[in-house]
Amino acid sequence: MPKENSRVAEYWELLRANRIAVVGLGLLVFFALLAIVAPFIVPFDPDELVGAPFQRPSSVHLLGTNDVGQDIFSELLVGARVSLLIGLLAAMVSIGVGCVVGLVAGYFGGRIDSALMRLVDMVLVIPFLPLMILLAAYLGPSFWNLILVIGLLTWAQPARIIRSQVLSIKTRGFVEAGRAIGTPVAVILRQHVLPGVIPLALSQFVIAASQSILIEASLSFLGLGDPVTKSWGTILFYAQARGAFLTDAWLWWVVPPGLLITLVVAGFAFSGLALEEVADPKLRSR
Amino acid sequence: MLGRLLGGRMLQYVMLIVVILVLNFMLPRAMPGTPLAFLAGEDVGLMTTEQREEVMAQHGLDRPLPHQFARYMGNLLQGDFGYSFQQRRPITDILMERLPWTLLLAGANLVLTTIIGVLVGAVAAWRRGGRADAGLLATFVFMAAMPSFWIGMILVAVFAAQLGWFPVYGAYSTYAGLTGWERIVDIGRHLVLPLTSLVFISVSSVFFTMRYSMLSVLREDYISMARAKGVPERLVKYRHAMRNALLPVLTIFMLNLGFIFSGAVVIETVFAYPGIGRLLFQAVLTRDYPVLQATFLLITMTVIIANIVADLLYPLFDPRVRVR
Amino acid sequence: MTAALQVRNLSAEYSTSTGVVRAVHDVSFELRRGETLGLIGESGCGKTTIGQALLNNLEAPGRIAGGQVMLGDIDLLSLSGKALRRTRWDRIAMVPQSAMHALNPVYRVGDQIAEAIELHTSATHQAALARARELLDMVGVDPGRARDYPHQFSGGMRQRVAIAMALSCEPEVLICDEATTGLDVLTEAQVIGALRDMQRAFELSIIMISHDLHMIGRVSDRIAIMYAGRLVEVAPAEDVRTDPRHPYTQGLLSAVPALTAEPQHLEPIPGLVPDLRHLPPGCRFAPRCPFAIDECDHDIPPLIETVPGAQGDRRLVACIRDGDLVGKQSA
């Protein structure tokens, strides 16, 4: 498969030459490492009450303590795991559904296509957060419910993008020709459709992950997060509930978690933009 | 052609409304156990079986589902959203009290977001590849990456708590008894921070759409033709390119509505702004399920109606979809 | 009598990520008053670039690398800003390849024609609109359709609208870039008919750019043949047809065996148009030329005068073997 290798090499070259990609991937690598090593490097167990509540930052508690005396710095490090994990898993659900719908709609066309696209349009209109809140309120807050609710309500946009990619691949004629001579669907998909779809699906996945992390943060901030595993959104929920932003504590209790969310989401978004550019030559700057 | 097009869209909206209504109807009834806790706010555990059955009958919950659905629809059509057992008053009254505030916040946001996003997006496209373009792109990616509630909290911390320029929460000063102009200024001052946070998170999508759309319009032959005809650069940009580049913005404008309401829920919560979004949050906290459902229904219906309006207005801007 | 348009040493290039591509290289020709000059070549040879360059309207990343486009004693390429905007369209205008794309989809065609008039004269919008209707009428479009939008017209009608727009300021020179490409034969004939009528009515000098030899042969007084960014031959249409001098022209006209009756010359020209980024050092046609000799690879052959045509008209050809081949032919 020398052709595949050269294509991968070309993508890699494009990514390396792209400053946005370097920043985005750099951020992602940093947070991935942080999430992996977090439990081993935290100064305190984030669930233990390790000091007096509402302490200011000190050499012991780098970012002070929260309302019940847990170490905020440790909470933050471990929170990276939760936020990233929920974001990635929800994005997998979202892109999984999106890919299937997009491929089926684009490949088979006709009535199946128009029915699926109607569905996509409908899902896109629904204000997703209120619906998520409704569902989360009924289903109860839990790690997997969050992932399912986010994933199952955000697949429509990727489905639409992947469908249009499939359609443009179809215009190149390989697909029609393959069908005409009776090539099995699986072979046509593998040889002609997927090579064009996978880079795009990857960029959509990265973008979906960034959105999922934001949505998870919002839901957790509204008190609908997983009560057992504390994400950055949950930390901010407590900061808000205890009025931390009305005191000096906003500097160490409010700013850091939000900043981390922003950086991780921006890391995904930059990577997604760069991947999109690689996947879609039209977007490349000349 | 337009008729058929619109017909298809309308059918879609009607289907969506039906789906939402059925979802709303079924959710509490599909939960394990008796739906009483969800629908009547009663503490089921403390009741005897007879009491429970009596209340069930009172709410029609002993009837078959189709009957219940008919009753549910009948109530909705009369504008009756049910009764809040937490607040002990009709939900319709609560909604009507809250709606204007959300409309003010979301409406002002829509206007500001569109103006800022369109203008800045166009400028970025006109300077494609330059320093300004790169800087704006990075800025807007970061803005879109910030959690809305966090921006709200930071704004409150800095401009309300620390500097004291704006009020910390609410939509107006209670008990101040302000009237006329003073009341308007007061409402405006309360609006600044929530509105800023909301604009902050929703402006990016308009910016990105406008930039991309403007870039593709600038490559069109009619732009080159306009220049050849002697149209000055300023008019090429504003008269020839802008009109066309705005069309996709109008389309995402509709999708944005849902996003803006989603943002409003969170922002209203941060600022204790007495709108629909905060009502939804309070209903979650107090497990006031009838209010939760009614609020969701109202938000969804508002978004769908706004979509229908936008669909009807679209032909005014794009002659290609107008009837001959 | 002076020429309507005098093009001297025109060069244009594009900067791409892989380097600078010189799409038009040192092109000189004149357009006589009232004549139709056909400019012909394969796609990618730089025809469209010339068209835009003649209007000094190349869009980035394209740019003019040198030369002059003289309209009387004004060099259009030396103008910019307001002076350029005032001269262009007023004296030299263009009918684009696809009016579908060249007309703004959100404005009425009448307004688009009137816009050009308003920009170049002191006419009010009402007066300009009235003039736009007259112009539409002249090119054979119902003036009532001035209120219609571009998408409401058929392909042929849209080209007529584009012609009306090009004539809005009564220019001396009209450049038609593939103005009939994509139209069916009947419609093409009608559009060309409309152009001819306009040529008479406005005393226009026209440059017809196309890859369609038959159409160019029918409508042109003289023909300029372009290959890989350079002119290889300029001659009266009649002479190109009966006695093409450049081997490339002969290749284009291979249905008319001019040099030899051997059947392989009836085939399409072997080989491909060279990549403009990797041009041969000498004559650009040499790699595909059946008559190429070693010297052809040394220097770029200049476009120079050769034997006069049948009517005694001046003919130019860029081939160092021109003399030899003439001798060969007469032998």
Side-chain angles (χ1 to χ4, degrees):
Chain A
M1 301 280 277
K3 204 177 140 212
E4 278 307 301
N5 278 336
S6 70
R7 190 183 281 150
V8 170
E10 190 197 326
Y11 287 162
W12 181 242
E13 264 320 298
L14 280 165
L15 278 181
R16 269 208 344 199
N18 188 326
R19 224 180 303 167
I20 288 180
V22 173
V23 174
L25 291 175
L27 280 170
L28 290 192
V29 169
F30 170 76
F31 279 105
L33 288 177
L34 180 67
I36 292 167
V37 303
F40 311 109
I41 60 165
V42 284
F44 297 99
D45 182 337
D47 297 325
E48 291 294 318
L49 312 180
V50 291
F54 296 115
Q55 281 187 59
R56 301 178 72 89
S58 63
S59 54
V60 183
H61 301 289
L62 290 177
L63 293 173
T65 56
N66 66 11
D67 54 319
V68 291
Q70 291 160 332
D71 182 58
I72 296 179
F73 182 67
S74 306
E75 274 186 312
L76 278 182
L77 292 189
V78 175
R81 287 195 145 195
V82 188
S83 294
L84 275 181
L85 206 57
I86 292 183
L88 289 175
L89 290 174
M92 276 166 79
V93 175
S94 160
I95 295 303
V97 177
C99 269
V100 170
V101 172
L103 278 172
V104 168
Y107 186 83
F108 293 104
R111 284 184 176 212
I112 302 178
D113 182 30
S114 62
L116 285 175
M117 283 306 110
R118 287 254 157 116
L119 187 66
V120 164
D121 283 346
M122 276 167 51
V123 174
L124 281 176
V125 171
I126 302 176
F128 59 92
L129 198 65
L131 181 55
M132 284 174 193
I133 292 172
L134 189 71
L135 290 175
Y138 273 105
L139 299 175
S142 87
F143 186 77
W144 292 106
N145 282 351
L146 270 180
I147 290 165
L148 278 181
V149 165
I150 296 173
L152 291 179
L153 288 178
T154 53
W155 56 270
Q157 193 64 36
R160 186 185 259 183
I161 289 167
I162 287 177
R163 168 185 172 265
S164 62
Q165 176 79 354
V166 175
L167 288 182
S168 90
I169 291 171
K170 266 170 85 178
T171 60
R172 284 173 225 161
F174 299 121
V175 176
E176 296 305 322
R179 272 173 159 183
I181 59 170
T183 314
V185 173
V187 176
I188 299 180
L189 278 179
R190 199 174 56 234
Q191 290 193 337
H192 300 300
V193 181
L194 288 184
V197 165
I198 287 173
L200 195 66
L202 193 65
S203 73
Q204 287 303 308
F205 171 77
V206 173
I207 290 167
S210 76
Q211 285 165 353
S212 301
I213 291 173
L214 269 184
I215 296 171
E216 184 276 332
S218 289
L219 287 173
S220 298
F221 173 75
L222 293 174
L224 292 166
D226 181 0
V228 187
T229 48
K230 238 193 265 175
S231 72
W232 292 329
T234 322
I235 299 174
L236 285 167
F237 166 70
Y238 286 110
Q240 154 90 4
R242 306 292 175 252
F245 60 134
L246 297 178
T247 66
D248 282 344
W250 73 280
L251 274 171
W252 56 87
W253 198 357
V254 176
V255 171
L259 213 54
L260 290 179
I261 296 175
T262 306
L263 286 176
V264 112
V265 172
F268 275 108
F270 279 133
S271 309
L273 281 177
L275 285 169
E276 209 168 41
E277 210 166 277
V278 171
D280 182 0
K282 265 183 305 190
L283 293 174
R284 277 178 216 161
S285 45
R286 283 190 260 198
Chain B
M1 197 190 109
L2 178 77
R4 258 183 48 208
L5 209 84
L6 266 187
R9 294 286 289 168
M10 284 305 154
L11 189 72
Q12 222 165 315
Y13 288 130
V14 171
M15 275 165 60
L16 183 59
I17 291 172
V18 171
V19 169
I20 295 293
L21 285 172
V22 170
L23 180 79
N24 235 326
F25 172 75
M26 285 311 293
L27 258 183
R29 291 168 174 87
M31 289 294 122
T34 151
L36 262 193
F38 299 121
L39 293 175
E42 302 284 343
D43 216 335
V44 194
L46 297 178
M47 284 192 264
T48 64
T49 316
E50 291 80 42
Q51 280 175 315
R52 207 183 296 173
E53 270 164 10
E54 194 194 314
V55 183
M56 291 278 274
Q58 193 187 327
H59 291 277
L61 293 175
D62 52 343
R63 314 285 299 272
L65 278 182
H67 279 259
Q68 293 187 32
F69 189 68
R71 180 175 157 149
Y72 166 77
M73 284 304 298
N75 286 344
L76 276 184
L77 287 177
Q78 288 165 31
D80 179 4
F81 279 91
Y83 191 79
S84 164
F85 296 88
Q86 307 278 345
Q87 300 198 28
R88 308 216 166 272
R89 57 198 192 114
I91 295 174
T92 310
D93 292 0
I94 306 176
L95 291 179
M96 286 307 120
E97 199 177 284
R98 300 292 192 113
L99 192 59
W101 295 113
T102 297
L103 289 182
L104 174 67
L105 188 58
N109 173 51
L110 210 51
V111 172
L112 277 182
T113 304
T114 309
I115 294 174
I116 297 172
V118 160
L119 290 180
V120 182
V123 167
W126 291 333
R127 312 211 169 154
R128 165 166 213 185
R131 240 161 221 267
D133 182 28
L136 285 171
L137 262 179
T139 309
F140 277 90
V141 168
F142 269 106
M143 278 169 67
M146 294 182 192
S148 51
F149 54 89
W150 181 64
I151 299 185
M153 290 167 89
I154 301 284
L155 288 181
V156 171
V158 176
F159 295 103
Q162 304 287 326
L163 296 171
W165 292 355
F166 298 101
V168 173
Y169 66 88
Y172 50 90
S173 308
T174 30
Y175 312 119
L178 298 173
T179 50
W181 181 243
E182 282 184 324
R183 183 168 154 78
I184 294 174
V185 171
D186 181 53
I187 290 174
R189 271 169 46 84
H190 280 82
L191 189 63
V192 172
L193 293 183
L195 184 58
T196 309
S197 332
L198 208 49
V199 168
F200 222 84
I201 57 152
S202 34
V203 74
S204 300
S205 67
V206 181
F207 168 82
F208 287 118
T209 311
M210 184 64 191
R211 179 177 174 275
Y212 188 73
S213 156
M214 180 59 88
L215 282 178
S216 52
V217 165
L218 288 178
R219 279 197 292 266
E220 295 284 346
D221 287 352
Y222 55 76
I223 295 301
S224 160
M225 199 65 182
R227 289 207 181 97
K229 270 198 314 195
V231 180
E233 202 54 25
R234 197 173 46 83
L235 284 182
V236 169
K237 283 173 178 172
Y238 288 99
R239 191 192 282 169
H240 287 268
M242 199 63 132
R243 252 307 283 284
N244 284 284
L246 276 175
L247 296 175
V249 175
L250 200 66
T251 319
I252 69 129
F253 181 90
M254 310 184 212
L255 293 178
N256 240 358
L257 282 172
F259 186 77
I260 284 170
F261 271 97
S262 299
V265 174
V266 182
I267 293 294
E268 287 181 6
T269 304
V270 175
F271 289 92
Y273 204 79
I276 296 288
R278 179 165 160 80
L279 184 64
L280 188 68
F281 174 70
Q282 287 171 319
V284 170
L285 280 190
T286 56
R287 298 290 181 247
D288 193 345
Y289 289 93
V291 170
L292 189 59
Q293 287 195 296
T295 313
F296 170 70
L297 205 59
L298 183 70
I299 292 178
T300 313
M301 289 301 166
T302 312
V303 170
I304 293 175
I305 290 167
N307 268 276
I308 293 174
V309 171
D311 267 1
L312 291 175
L313 288 180
Y314 189 82
L316 287 183
F317 299 94
D318 190 349
R320 279 164 294 188
V321 298
R322 239 176 264 169
V323 207
R324 270 213 181 183
Chain C
M1 198 169 74
T2 55
L5 188 74
Q6 184 86 47
V7 179
R8 294 189 194 129
N9 309 99
L10 178 64
S11 291
E13 59 194 24
Y14 290 92
S15 35
T16 69
S17 51
T18 47
V20 174
V21 176
R22 186 153 279 204
V24 176
H25 201 135
D26 201 15
V27 165
S28 302
F29 64 87
E30 60 168 23
L31 175 68
R32 299 174 189 165
R33 269 188 210 289
E35 79 165 343
T36 300
L37 175 71
L39 181 63
I40 192 158
E42 291 164 277
S43 55
C45 74
K47 295 175 309 224
T48 299
T49 309
I50 285 201
Q52 293 294 336
L54 291 181
L55 284 162
N56 194 0
N57 195 35
L58 269 181
E59 303 267 337
R63 66 178 204 92
I64 286 166
Q68 292 177 315
V69 173
M70 302 300 295
L71 267 167
D73 50 7
I74 300 173
D75 175 11
L76 200 66
L77 300 187
S78 71
L79 300 182
S80 64
K82 209 169 175 185
L84 175 63
R85 283 202 302 273
R86 206 179 295 149
T87 311
R88 193 163 58 194
W89 222 255
D90 195 43
R91 301 189 57 185
I92 179 167
M94 167 176 244
V95 181
Q97 168 166 4
S98 165
M100 177 72 200
H101 299 116
L103 294 171
N104 195 324
V106 299
Y107 294 113
R108 301 175 197 280
V109 297
D111 290 334
Q112 294 192 51
I113 299 171
E115 184 185 31
I117 300 172
E118 284 170 69
L119 285 165
H120 288 274
T121 64
S122 55
T124 63
H125 184 66
Q126 281 314 311
L129 210 51
R131 177 68 183 144
R133 285 202 200 90
E134 274 174 44
L135 286 162
L136 284 174
D137 197 23
M138 289 178 78
V139 296
V141 176
D142 172 12
R145 300 200 64 186
R147 293 183 54 79
D148 283 355
Y149 290 92
H151 71 279
Q152 292 168 295
F153 289 83
S154 67
M157 281 296 156
R158 224 180 270 133
Q159 287 305 133
R160 289 170 192 248
V161 170
I163 294 171
M165 188 154 96
L167 296 177
S168 55
C169 301
E170 302 179 22
E172 302 141 42
V173 177
L174 191 63
I175 297 163
C176 301
D177 180 11
E178 304 273 11
T180 62
T181 303
L183 301 179
D184 63 77
V185 187
L186 200 67
T187 317
E188 173 180 278
Q190 288 168 348
V191 170
I192 287 175
L195 263 177
R196 280 215 170 120
D197 294 345
M198 293 305 105
Q199 183 165 31
R200 237 166 290 150
F202 290 89
E203 293 166 12
L204 284 170
S205 315
I206 298 181
I207 297 179
M208 288 288 275
I209 302 177
S210 179
H211 66 280
D212 179 353
L213 192 60
H214 282 282
M215 190 274 286
I216 289 287
R218 273 205 315 278
V219 305
S220 308
D221 300 308
R222 291 188 310 137
I223 296 179
I225 294 110
M226 197 167 179
Y227 184 79
R230 294 184 64 92
L231 289 185
V232 294
E233 183 163 358
V234 181
E238 186 58 29
D239 294 323
V240 171
R241 211 168 14 241
T242 55
D243 180 26
R245 313 245 19 137
H246 196 280
Y248 176 64
T249 317
Q250 293 162 8
L252 276 181
L253 286 157
S254 57
V256 189
L259 280 168
T260 158
E262 277 174 53
Q264 66 260 36
H265 292 294
L266 293 173
E267 304 284 309
I269 312 170
L272 293 168
V273 180
D275 181 345
L276 288 171
R277 278 165 296 191
H278 307 105
L279 287 168
C283 171
R284 291 171 180 190
F285 187 60
R288 293 168 79 185
C289 180
F291 309 107
I293 53 174
D294 287 350
E295 281 78 61
C296 291
D297 292 330
H298 293 162
D299 295 301
I300 299 177
L303 186 67
I304 48 172
E305 202 154 344
T306 179
V307 290
Q311 310 301 316
D313 213 334
R314 245 164 67 97
R315 312 183 52 176
L316 304 170
V317 68
C319 180
I320 55 166
R321 299 210 59 200
D322 188 43
D324 312 348
L325 295 175
V326 170
K328 217 174 174 183
Q329 189 188 28
S330 51

